[in-house]
Amino acid sequence: MKRLGVNIDHVATLRQARKTRYPNPIAAAALVEKAGGNQITIHLREDRRHIQDVDVRELRKTIRTRLNLEMAARPEIVAIACDVKPDTITLVPERRQELTTEGGLDVTKEDGNLSTAIKKLKQSGIEISLFIEPDLKQIEAAVHLGADQVEFHTGRYCELTDKGDKKEVQKELARLKESAQFAKEKGLQVAAGHGLNYDNIEDLLRNIPEIEEYNIGHSIVSRAIFVGLEKAVQEMREIIQGVGK
Ligand code: PXP
């Protein structure tokens, strides 16, 4: 069964907009799990624009599925992660000015920082996923770094789909497929995420059975405004189950 990780950062974004106590990410995570989400994904950013340290600690105590913490390989955040022990850490690039994570981590240009972080996190018993572009060189470097999983950045695929550029979409799908097959051959688990929604996920499910996990946030939380979080998660689960058997 394919896993659906629901990224609940934007529940915290709404709370931080007014510095209120609601909406509460802990309550959101419980609803996601009730609706069939297989994993709660959160990003503890250096600027703490949405998820706060206390959220990470509380979620660790309350969630019943899996906790996937996205973070940059910075010593301050690594120390928090080693203490909290999420099930998985997804290492992502982080730039202060960006709206969201733009592009994957370039793991071929390792300066020692990344491998030190990975070593520490693995020693704490945490699985490591690297958020990279679907690129064979990146996958080889991820294997070399001892990753358990790669998550492919689907931003380019989603942008091309929005533009309706069918030829380029097919090219990007082929790149994702080749990368997913290569990563599987190398013994890595394969995940995908960024910009996925109720429409554009279908071609990935149909064409790339190697993708075992999807991490989706913005589209699900947006839909939740109209239909409620449980229904928004159920609808995505149904698509994943229906199309991507
Ligand atoms: N996966 C990773 C590694 C991410 O950084 C993000 C964005 O925080 C997502 C998945 C979810 O992306 P979106 O909110 O566009 O669905």
Side-chain angles (χ1 to χ4, degrees), residues 2-82:
K2 293 185 189 309
R3 297 186 295 276
L4 169 62
V6 178
N7 184 314
I8 57 169
D9 290 348
H10 294 308
V11 174
T13 300
L14 199 54
R15 178 193 62 189
Q16 296 309 110
R18 289 286 180 91
K19 300 274 192 305
T20 45
R21 289 154 71 97
Y22 58 85
N24 184 347
I26 312 301
L31 286 176
V32 167
E33 291 184 319
K34 192 163 167 245
N38 309 103
Q39 163 166 287
I40 305 299
T41 296
I42 49 172
H43 185 170
L44 185 66
R45 292 187 72 103
E46 233 189 341
D47 62 12
R48 306 297 199 273
R49 67 172 73 155
H50 38 54
I51 292 291
Q52 306 295 304
D53 299 38
V54 66
D55 297 324
V56 183
R57 291 182 189 282
E58 285 301 306
L59 283 165
R60 173 70 296 180
K61 284 192 238 156
T62 56
I63 68 167
R64 297 282 169 266
T65 55
R66 293 176 61 82
L67 178 61
N68 171 29
L69 178 66
E70 298 171 356
M71 52 176 261
R74 304 248 161 78
E76 180 225 356
I77 311 280
V78 170
I80 294 170
C82 289

Coordinates of all heavy atoms in Angstrom, one line a residue, residues 2-82:
K2 N 0.5 2.2 -0.8 CA 1.3 3.4 -0.9 C 1.0 4.3 0.3 O -0.2 4.3 0.8 CB 0.9 4.2 -2.2 CG 1.4 3.4 -3.4 CD 1.2 4.2 -4.6 CE 1.5 3.4 -5.8 NZ 2.8 2.7 -5.8
R3 N 2.0 5.0 0.8 CA 1.8 5.8 2.0 C 1.5 7.2 1.6 O 2.0 7.8 0.7 CB 3.1 5.8 2.9 CG 3.5 4.5 3.4 CD 4.6 4.6 4.4 NE 5.9 5.0 3.7 CZ 6.7 4.3 3.1 NH1 6.5 3.0 3.0 NH2 7.8 4.7 2.5
L4 N 0.5 7.8 2.4 CA 0.2 9.2 2.2 C 0.7 10.0 3.5 O 0.2 9.7 4.6 CB -1.3 9.5 2.0 CG -1.7 10.9 2.1 CD1 -1.1 11.8 1.0 CD2 -3.3 11.0 2.1
G5 N 1.7 10.8 3.3 CA 2.2 11.7 4.4 C 1.5 13.0 4.2 O 1.5 13.6 3.1
V6 N 0.8 13.5 5.2 CA 0.2 14.8 5.1 C 1.0 15.8 5.8 O 1.3 15.7 7.0 CB -1.3 14.7 5.6 CG1 -2.0 16.1 5.5 CG2 -2.1 13.7 4.9
N7 N 1.4 16.9 5.0 CA 2.2 17.9 5.6 C 1.2 19.0 6.2 O 0.4 19.6 5.5 CB 3.0 18.5 4.5 CG 3.9 19.6 5.0 OD1 3.5 20.5 5.8 ND2 5.2 19.6 4.6
I8 N 1.3 19.1 7.5 CA 0.4 20.0 8.2 C 1.0 21.4 8.6 O 0.5 22.1 9.4 CB -0.2 19.4 9.5 CG1 0.9 18.9 10.5 CG2 -1.1 18.2 9.1 CD1 0.4 18.5 11.8
D9 N 2.1 21.7 7.9 CA 2.8 23.0 8.2 C 1.8 24.2 8.1 O 1.8 25.2 8.9 CB 3.9 23.3 7.2 CG 5.1 22.4 7.4 OD1 5.1 21.7 8.4 OD2 5.9 22.4 6.4
H10 N 0.9 24.1 7.1 CA 0.0 25.3 6.8 C -1.1 25.5 7.9 O -1.7 26.5 7.9 CB -0.5 25.3 5.4 CG 0.6 25.5 4.5 ND1 1.5 26.5 4.6 CD2 1.1 24.8 3.4 CE1 2.5 26.4 3.7 NE2 2.2 25.4 2.9
V11 N -1.3 24.4 8.7 CA -2.2 24.6 9.8 C -1.5 25.6 10.8 O -2.1 26.6 11.3 CB -2.5 23.3 10.5 CG1 -3.3 23.5 11.8 CG2 -3.3 22.4 9.5
A12 N -0.2 25.4 11.0 CA 0.6 26.2 11.8 C 0.8 27.6 11.2 O 0.9 28.6 11.9 CB 1.9 25.6 12.2
T13 N 0.8 27.7 9.9 CA 1.0 29.0 9.2 C -0.2 29.9 9.6 O 0.0 31.1 9.9 CB 1.0 28.8 7.7 OG1 2.1 27.9 7.3 CG2 1.1 30.1 6.9
L14 N -1.4 29.3 9.6 CA -2.6 30.1 9.9 C -2.6 30.5 11.3 O -2.9 31.7 11.7 CB -3.8 29.2 9.6 CG -5.2 29.8 9.4 CD1 -5.1 30.8 8.3 CD2 -6.2 28.7 9.0
R15 N -2.1 29.7 12.2 CA -2.0 30.0 13.6 C -1.0 31.1 13.8 O -1.3 32.1 14.5 CB -1.6 28.8 14.4 CG -1.5 29.1 15.9 CD -0.8 27.9 16.6 NE 0.6 27.7 16.1 CZ 1.4 26.7 16.4 NH1 0.9 25.7 17.2 NH2 2.6 26.6 15.8
Q16 N 0.2 31.0 13.2 CA 1.2 32.0 13.4 C 0.9 33.4 12.8 O 1.4 34.4 13.2 CB 2.5 31.5 12.8 CG 3.1 30.3 13.4 CD 3.2 30.3 14.9 OE1 2.5 29.7 15.7 NE2 4.1 31.2 15.5
A17 N -0.1 33.4 11.8 CA -0.5 34.6 11.2 C -1.1 35.6 12.2 O -1.0 36.8 12.1 CB -1.5 34.4 10.1
R18 N -1.7 35.0 13.3 CA -2.3 35.8 14.3 C -1.7 35.6 15.7 O -2.2 36.1 16.7 CB -3.8 35.6 14.4 CG -4.5 36.2 13.2 CD -4.6 37.7 13.3 NE -5.3 38.2 12.2 CZ -6.7 38.5 12.2 NH1 -7.4 38.1 13.2 NH2 -7.2 39.0 11.2
K19 N -0.7 34.6 15.8 CA -0.1 34.2 17.0 C -1.2 33.8 18.0 O -1.1 34.1 19.2 CB 0.8 35.3 17.6 CG 1.9 35.8 16.7 CD 3.1 34.9 17.0 CE 4.4 35.4 16.3 NZ 4.4 35.7 14.9
T20 N -2.2 33.1 17.5 CA -3.3 32.6 18.4 C -2.9 31.1 18.8 O -1.8 30.7 18.5 CB -4.6 32.5 17.6 OG1 -4.3 31.9 16.3 CG2 -5.2 33.9 17.5
R21 N -3.8 30.5 19.5 CA -3.5 29.1 19.9 C -4.2 28.1 18.9 O -4.0 26.9 19.0 CB -4.1 28.8 21.3 CG -3.3 29.5 22.4 CD -4.2 29.8 23.6 NE -4.5 28.6 24.3 CZ -3.8 28.2 25.4 NH1 -2.8 28.9 25.8 NH2 -4.1 27.0 26.0
Y22 N -4.9 28.6 18.0 CA -5.6 27.8 17.0 C -5.3 28.3 15.6 O -5.0 29.5 15.5 CB -7.2 27.9 17.2 CG -7.7 29.3 17.2 CD1 -8.1 29.9 16.0 CD2 -7.9 30.0 18.4 CE1 -8.6 31.2 15.9 CE2 -8.3 31.3 18.3 CZ -8.7 31.9 17.1 OH -9.2 33.2 17.1
P23 N -5.5 27.5 14.6 CA -5.8 26.1 14.6 C -4.6 25.3 15.1 O -3.4 25.6 14.8 CB -6.1 25.7 13.2 CG -5.4 26.7 12.4 CD -5.3 28.0 13.2
N24 N -4.9 24.2 15.9 CA -3.9 23.5 16.6 C -3.3 22.3 15.7 O -4.1 21.4 15.3 CB -4.5 23.0 17.9 CG -3.5 22.2 18.7 OD1 -2.4 21.9 18.3 ND2 -3.9 22.0 20.0
P25 N -2.1 22.3 15.4 CA -1.5 21.2 14.5 C -1.7 19.8 15.2 O -1.8 18.8 14.5 CB 0.0 21.5 14.4 CG 0.1 22.9 14.8 CD -1.0 23.3 15.7
I26 N -1.8 19.8 16.5 CA -1.9 18.5 17.2 C -3.3 17.9 16.8 O -3.4 16.7 16.5 CB -1.8 18.6 18.7 CG1 -0.6 19.4 19.1 CG2 -1.8 17.2 19.4 CD1 0.8 18.9 18.7
A27 N -4.3 18.8 16.9 CA -5.7 18.3 16.6 C -5.7 18.0 15.1 O -6.4 17.0 14.7 CB -6.7 19.4 16.9
A28 N -5.0 18.7 14.3 CA -5.0 18.4 12.8 C -4.4 17.0 12.6 O -5.0 16.3 11.8 CB -4.2 19.5 12.1
A29 N -3.3 16.7 13.2 CA -2.7 15.4 13.0 C -3.6 14.3 13.4 O -3.7 13.3 12.7 CB -1.4 15.4 13.9
A30 N -4.4 14.5 14.5 CA -5.3 13.4 14.9 C -6.4 13.2 13.8 O -6.7 12.1 13.5 CB -5.9 13.8 16.2
L31 N -6.9 14.3 13.2 CA -7.9 14.1 12.2 C -7.3 13.5 10.9 O -7.9 12.7 10.3 CB -8.4 15.5 11.8 CG -9.4 16.1 12.8 CD1 -9.8 17.5 12.4 CD2 -10.7 15.2 13.0
V32 N -6.0 13.8 10.6 CA -5.4 13.2 9.4 C -5.3 11.7 9.7 O -5.6 10.9 8.8 CB -4.0 13.8 9.2 CG1 -3.1 13.0 8.3 CG2 -4.1 15.3 8.8
E33 N -4.9 11.3 10.9 CA -4.7 9.9 11.1 C -6.1 9.2 11.1 O -6.2 8.1 10.5 CB -4.1 9.7 12.5 CG -2.6 10.1 12.5 CD -1.9 9.8 13.8 OE1 -2.5 10.1 14.9 OE2 -0.7 9.4 13.8
K34 N -7.1 9.8 11.6 CA -8.5 9.3 11.6 C -8.9 9.0 10.2 O -9.6 8.1 9.9 CB -9.4 10.2 12.4 CG -10.7 9.7 12.7 CD -11.4 10.5 13.8 CE -12.9 10.1 13.8 NZ -13.8 11.2 13.4
A35 N -8.5 10.0 9.3 CA -9.0 9.9 7.9 C -8.1 9.0 7.0 O -8.4 8.8 5.9 CB -9.0 11.3 7.3
G36 N -7.1 8.3 7.6 CA -6.4 7.3 6.9 C -5.0 7.8 6.4 O -4.3 7.1 5.6
G37 N -4.6 9.0 6.8 CA -3.2 9.4 6.5 C -2.2 8.5 7.2 O -2.4 8.0 8.3
N38 N -1.1 8.2 6.5 CA -0.2 7.2 7.1 C 1.0 7.8 7.8 O 1.8 7.1 8.4 CB 0.4 6.3 5.9 CG -0.7 5.7 5.1 OD1 -0.9 6.2 4.0 ND2 -1.4 4.7 5.6
Q39 N 1.1 9.1 7.7 CA 2.3 9.8 8.2 C 2.0 11.3 8.4 O 1.3 11.8 7.6 CB 3.4 9.5 7.3 CG 4.6 10.4 7.4 CD 5.8 9.9 6.7 OE1 6.4 8.9 7.1 NE2 6.2 10.5 5.6
I40 N 2.5 11.9 9.4 CA 2.4 13.3 9.6 C 3.8 13.9 9.3 O 4.8 13.5 9.8 CB 2.0 13.7 11.1 CG1 0.8 13.0 11.5 CG2 1.9 15.2 11.2 CD1 -0.5 13.3 10.7
T41 N 3.8 14.8 8.3 CA 5.0 15.5 7.9 C 5.0 16.9 8.3 O 3.9 17.6 8.2 CB 5.1 15.4 6.4 OG1 5.2 14.0 6.0 CG2 6.3 16.1 5.8
I42 N 6.1 17.4 8.9 CA 6.2 18.8 9.3 C 7.6 19.3 9.0 O 8.5 18.5 8.9 CB 5.9 19.0 10.8 CG1 6.8 18.0 11.7 CG2 4.4 18.9 11.2 CD1 6.7 18.2 13.2
H43 N 7.7 20.6 8.8 CA 9.0 21.2 8.5 C 9.3 22.2 9.6 O 8.6 23.2 9.8 CB 8.9 21.9 7.2 CG 10.2 22.4 6.7 ND1 10.4 22.9 5.4 CD2 11.5 22.6 7.2 CE1 11.6 23.3 5.2 NE2 12.3 23.1 6.3
L44 N 10.4 21.9 10.4 CA 10.8 22.8 11.4 C 11.9 23.7 10.7 O 13.0 23.4 10.6 CB 11.4 22.1 12.6 CG 11.9 23.0 13.8 CD1 10.6 23.7 14.4 CD2 12.7 22.2 14.8
R45 N 11.4 24.9 10.3 CA 12.3 25.8 9.6 C 13.1 26.6 10.6 O 12.7 26.9 11.7 CB 11.5 26.8 8.7 CG 10.8 26.1 7.6 CD 10.2 27.2 6.7 NE 11.2 27.9 5.9 CZ 11.5 27.7 4.7 NH1 10.8 26.8 3.9 NH2 12.4 28.4 4.1
E46 N 14.3 27.0 10.1 CA 15.2 27.8 11.0 C 14.5 29.1 11.4 O 14.7 29.6 12.6 CB 16.4 28.2 10.2 CG 17.7 27.8 10.9 CD 18.9 28.4 10.2 OE1 18.8 28.7 9.0 OE2 20.0 28.4 10.9
D47 N 13.7 29.7 10.6 CA 13.0 30.9 10.9 C 11.7 30.7 11.7 O 11.0 31.7 12.1 CB 12.7 31.8 9.7 CG 11.8 31.1 8.7 OD1 11.1 30.1 9.0 OD2 11.7 31.6 7.5
R48 N 11.3 29.4 11.9 CA 10.1 29.0 12.7 C 8.9 29.8 12.2 O 8.1 30.2 13.0 CB 10.3 29.3 14.2 CG 11.6 28.7 14.8 CD 11.6 27.2 14.8 NE 12.5 26.7 15.8 CZ 13.8 26.5 15.6 NH1 14.4 26.8 14.4 NH2 14.6 26.0 16.5
R49 N 8.7 29.9 10.9 CA 7.6 30.6 10.3 C 6.3 29.9 10.5 O 5.2 30.5 10.5 CB 7.8 31.0 8.9 CG 7.8 29.8 7.9 CD 7.8 30.3 6.5 NE 9.1 30.8 6.1 CZ 9.5 30.8 4.8 NH1 8.7 30.3 3.9 NH2 10.6 31.3 4.5
H50 N 6.3 28.6 10.7 CA 5.0 27.9 11.0 C 5.2 26.9 12.1 O 4.7 27.2 13.2 CB 4.4 27.2 9.7 CG 5.4 26.6 8.7 ND1 6.3 25.7 9.1 CD2 5.5 26.8 7.4 CE1 7.0 25.3 8.0 NE2 6.6 26.0 7.0
I51 N 5.7 25.8 11.9 CA 5.9 24.8 13.0 C 6.9 25.3 14.1 O 8.0 25.8 13.7 CB 6.3 23.4 12.4 CG1 5.2 22.8 11.6 CG2 6.8 22.5 13.5 CD1 4.0 22.3 12.3
Q52 N 6.5 25.2 15.3 CA 7.4 25.6 16.4 C 8.0 24.4 17.1 O 7.4 23.3 17.0 CB 6.5 26.4 17.5 CG 5.8 27.6 16.8 CD 6.7 28.6 16.3 OE1 7.5 29.2 17.0 NE2 6.6 28.9 15.0
D53 N 9.0 24.6 17.9 CA 9.7 23.5 18.6 C 8.7 22.7 19.5 O 8.7 21.4 19.5 CB 10.8 24.0 19.5 CG 11.9 24.7 18.7 OD1 11.5 25.4 17.8 OD2 13.0 24.6 19.1
V54 N 7.8 23.4 20.1 CA 6.8 22.7 21.0 C 5.9 21.8 20.2 O 5.5 20.7 20.7 CB 6.0 23.8 21.9 CG1 5.2 24.7 21.0 CG2 5.2 23.1 23.0
D55 N 5.5 22.2 19.0 CA 4.7 21.4 18.1 C 5.4 20.0 17.8 O 4.7 19.0 17.9 CB 4.4 22.1 16.8 CG 3.7 23.4 16.9 OD1 2.8 23.5 17.8 OD2 4.0 24.3 16.1
V56 N 6.7 20.1 17.5 CA 7.4 18.9 17.2 C 7.4 17.9 18.4 O 7.1 16.7 18.3 CB 8.9 19.2 16.8 CG1 9.6 17.9 16.4 CG2 9.0 20.2 15.7
R57 N 7.6 18.5 19.6 CA 7.7 17.7 20.8 C 6.3 17.1 21.1 O 6.2 15.9 21.5 CB 8.2 18.5 22.0 CG 9.7 18.8 21.8 CD 10.3 19.5 22.9 NE 11.6 20.0 22.6 CZ 12.7 19.2 22.6 NH1 12.6 17.9 23.0 NH2 13.9 19.7 22.2
E58 N 5.2 17.9 21.0 CA 3.9 17.4 21.3 C 3.4 16.4 20.2 O 2.8 15.4 20.6 CB 2.9 18.6 21.3 CG 3.0 19.4 22.5 CD 2.7 18.7 23.8 OE1 1.7 18.0 23.9 OE2 3.6 18.7 24.7
L59 N 3.8 16.6 19.0 CA 3.4 15.6 17.9 C 4.0 14.3 18.2 O 3.4 13.2 18.0 CB 3.7 16.2 16.6 CG 2.7 17.2 16.0 CD1 3.3 18.0 14.9 CD2 1.4 16.6 15.7
R60 N 5.3 14.3 18.6 CA 6.0 13.1 18.9 C 5.2 12.3 19.9 O 5.2 11.0 19.9 CB 7.4 13.4 19.3 CG 8.3 12.2 19.8 CD 8.7 11.2 18.7 NE 7.6 10.5 18.1 CZ 7.7 9.6 17.1 NH1 8.9 9.3 16.7 NH2 6.7 9.0 16.6
K61 N 4.7 13.0 20.9 CA 4.0 12.3 22.0 C 2.6 11.8 21.5 O 2.1 10.8 22.0 CB 3.8 13.2 23.2 CG 5.0 13.4 24.0 CD 4.7 14.1 25.3 CE 5.4 15.4 25.4 NZ 4.9 16.4 26.2
T62 N 1.9 12.5 20.6 CA 0.5 12.2 20.4 C 0.2 11.4 19.1 O -0.8 10.7 19.1 CB -0.3 13.5 20.3 OG1 0.3 14.4 19.3 CG2 -0.3 14.3 21.6
I63 N 1.1 11.5 18.1 CA 0.7 10.8 16.8 C 0.9 9.3 17.0 O 1.7 8.8 17.7 CB 1.4 11.4 15.6 CG1 2.8 11.1 15.6 CG2 1.1 12.8 15.4 CD1 3.5 11.3 14.2
R64 N 0.0 8.6 16.2 CA 0.0 7.1 16.3 C 0.6 6.5 15.1 O 0.8 5.3 15.1 CB -1.5 6.6 16.5 CG -2.2 7.1 17.7 CD -1.7 6.2 18.9 NE -2.1 6.8 20.2 CZ -1.4 7.6 20.9 NH1 -0.2 7.9 20.5 NH2 -1.8 8.0 22.1
T65 N 0.8 7.3 14.0 CA 1.4 6.7 12.8 C 2.9 7.0 12.8 O 3.6 6.6 13.7 CB 0.6 7.3 11.6 OG1 0.7 8.7 11.6 CG2 -0.8 6.9 11.5
R66 N 3.3 7.7 11.8 CA 4.8 8.1 11.8 C 5.0 9.6 11.7 O 4.1 10.3 11.1 CB 5.4 7.4 10.5 CG 5.4 5.9 10.5 CD 5.9 5.4 9.2 NE 7.3 5.8 8.9 CZ 8.4 5.2 9.4 NH1 8.3 4.2 10.2 NH2 9.6 5.7 9.1
L67 N 6.0 10.0 12.3 CA 6.4 11.4 12.2 C 7.6 11.6 11.3 O 8.7 11.0 11.5 CB 6.7 12.0 13.6 CG 7.2 13.4 13.7 CD1 6.1 14.4 13.2 CD2 7.6 13.8 15.1
N68 N 7.4 12.4 10.2 CA 8.4 12.7 9.3 C 8.8 14.2 9.4 O 7.9 15.0 9.2 CB 7.9 12.4 7.9 CG 8.9 12.9 6.8 OD1 10.1 12.9 7.0 ND2 8.3 13.2 5.6
L69 N 10.0 14.4 9.9 CA 10.4 15.8 10.2 C 11.3 16.3 9.0 O 12.4 15.7 8.8 CB 11.1 15.9 11.5 CG 11.7 17.3 11.9 CD1 10.6 18.3 12.1 CD2 12.6 17.2 13.1
E70 N 10.9 17.3 8.3 CA 11.7 17.9 7.3 C 12.5 19.0 7.9 O 12.0 19.8 8.8 CB 10.8 18.6 6.2 CG 9.9 17.6 5.5 CD 8.9 18.4 4.6 OE1 8.9 19.6 4.6 OE2 8.2 17.7 3.9
M71 N 13.8 19.1 7.6 CA 14.7 20.1 8.2 C 15.9 20.3 7.3 O 16.3 19.4 6.5 CB 15.1 19.6 9.6 CG 15.6 18.2 9.6 SD 16.2 17.7 11.3 CE 17.9 18.0 11.1
A72 N 16.6 21.4 7.6 CA 17.9 21.6 7.0 C 19.0 20.9 7.9 O 18.7 20.8 9.1 CB 18.2 23.1 6.9
A73 N 20.1 20.6 7.3 CA 21.1 19.9 8.0 C 22.0 20.9 8.9 O 23.2 21.1 8.7 CB 22.0 19.1 7.1
R74 N 21.3 21.6 9.8 CA 22.0 22.6 10.6 C 22.1 22.1 12.0 O 21.2 21.5 12.5 CB 21.2 23.9 10.6 CG 20.9 24.5 9.3 CD 21.6 25.8 9.0 NE 21.7 26.1 7.6 CZ 20.6 26.5 6.9 NH1 19.5 26.8 7.5 NH2 20.8 26.8 5.6
P75 N 23.3 22.3 12.7 CA 23.5 21.7 14.0 C 22.4 21.9 15.0 O 22.0 21.0 15.7 CB 24.8 22.3 14.4 CG 25.5 22.7 13.1 CD 24.4 23.0 12.2
E76 N 21.9 23.2 15.0 CA 20.8 23.5 16.0 C 19.6 22.6 15.8 O 19.0 22.0 16.8 CB 20.4 24.9 15.8 CG 19.3 25.4 16.8 CD 18.2 26.2 16.2 OE1 18.2 26.5 15.0 OE2 17.2 26.5 16.9
I77 N 19.2 22.4 14.6 CA 18.0 21.5 14.3 C 18.3 20.1 14.4 O 17.5 19.3 14.9 CB 17.4 21.8 12.9 CG1 17.3 23.4 12.6 CG2 16.1 21.1 12.6 CD1 16.1 24.0 13.2
V78 N 19.5 19.7 14.1 CA 19.9 18.3 14.2 C 19.9 17.9 15.7 O 19.4 16.8 16.1 CB 21.4 18.0 13.7 CG1 21.9 16.7 14.1 CG2 21.4 18.2 12.2
A79 N 20.3 18.8 16.6 CA 20.3 18.5 18.0 C 18.8 18.3 18.5 O 18.6 17.3 19.3 CB 20.9 19.6 18.8
I80 N 17.9 19.1 18.0 CA 16.5 18.9 18.4 C 16.0 17.6 17.9 O 15.3 16.8 18.6 CB 15.6 20.1 17.8 CG1 16.0 21.4 18.5 CG2 14.1 19.8 18.0 CD1 15.4 22.7 17.8
A81 N 16.3 17.3 16.6 CA 15.9 16.0 16.0 C 16.4 14.8 16.8 O 15.6 13.8 17.1 CB 16.3 16.0 14.6
C82 N 17.6 14.8 17.2 CA 18.2 13.7 17.9 C 17.5 13.5 19.2 O 17.4 12.4 19.8 CB 19.7 13.9 18.1 SG 20.7 13.7 16.6

